[in-house]
Amino acid sequence: VHEEDANFALKTIISDTDWKRSRGVLFLDPYGMSVDWSTLEGIAATEALDVWYLFPLSVTYRQAANRFDKIDEHKAAKLDAILGTPDWRKAFYSESTQEGLFDSDKVTTRTASPRDIASFVWQRLNTVFRGWVSEPIFLPDSGPPMFALFFAVSNPSEGAVKLSKRAAEHLFAMLKNNK
């Protein structure tokens, strides 16, 4: 048991384990936006850990304010940390012109939906997990999604991907059948 920030504990576990002789499955269920992208990079680099990642979709959507100018430095830094890139600024926002009575203003507003954000995260996960990344499962399945559940395989070998994919698809089918 590690009683510390999971980002630090996982880095310690990853560096102290011989991943040539070990395999594992990790479930990341963060409190809010607490998992840094660098932690996911470390997990993927083991090529031995697969991860179920319950991405905090609704929290991320709320922090990415409707108007870009309403995002303070702290929120922007947290979004950079959880997404691992500042590219979300271009992916989630578009500039438009708002006509006023006497003039017009350029306004940058969020155009990304929660599903667009999940797609962005899926694309990002595919840049570090060399095996396979599942399409997101949105939870709950009715109403606005609060989470996007991903399964990511770090081992790029065909056999490992096939086995992990089969296990994940079995669990996905169980989820669907329990509805």
Side-chain angles (χ1 to χ4, degrees):
V1 175
H2 295 258
E3 293 185 28
E4 63 183 312
D5 181 312
N7 292 293
F8 299 116
L10 284 169
K11 286 177 180 144
T12 300
I13 292 166
I14 287 168
S15 67
D16 290 351
T17 304
D18 178 4
W19 293 110
K20 300 247 185 262
R21 299 178 182 268
S22 303
R23 286 219 11 99
V25 177
L26 178 65
F27 186 79
L28 288 177
D29 180 5
Y31 179 78
M33 296 171 55
S34 58
V35 174
D36 292 336
W37 190 260
S38 61
T39 300
L40 292 165
E41 289 173 323
I43 293 165
T46 67
E47 293 191 354
L49 279 173
D50 299 335
V51 63
W52 289 94
Y53 181 29
L54 191 63
F55 181 78
L57 189 56
S58 65
V59 174
T60 305
Y61 185 75
R62 281 194 316 270
Q63 294 304 308
N66 192 41
R67 284 183 45 154
F68 186 76
D69 61 352
K70 300 295 182 191
I71 300 175
D72 63 30
E73 282 182 41
H74 176 73
K75 285 182 182 179
K78 196 62 189 165
L79 287 162
D80 287 350
I82 192 174
L83 298 169
T85 181
D87 293 348
W88 59 269
R89 291 165 173 83
K90 291 179 185 166
F92 298 176
Y93 291 89
S94 295
E95 192 174 271
S96 62
T97 304
Q98 269 189 343
E99 297 294 331
L101 187 58
F102 300 107
D103 58 2
S104 59
D105 289 326
K106 297 274 186 195
V107 178
T108 304
T109 56
R110 185 183 62 224
T111 54
S113 69
R115 289 181 185 269
D116 295 331
I117 292 171
S119 178
F120 181 85
V121 173
W122 179 80
Q123 291 169 10
R124 295 283 301 133
L125 288 168
N126 274 288
T127 66
V128 293
F129 286 90
R130 294 184 40 217
W132 173 72
V133 179
S134 71
E135 294 283 334
I137 301 291
F138 294 101
L139 302 170
D141 62 348
S142 61
M146 295 183 64
F147 302 97
L149 178 62
F150 296 94
F151 182 63
V153 178
S154 65
N155 189 328
S157 80
E158 188 176 323
V161 169
K162 186 176 179 181
L163 179 64
S164 296
K165 204 174 187 181
R166 195 169 82 218
E169 288 170 350
H170 176 73
L171 291 170
F172 290 148
M174 287 175 53
L175 277 172
K176 289 179 185 177
N177 291 335
N178 283 335
K179 293 179 185 175

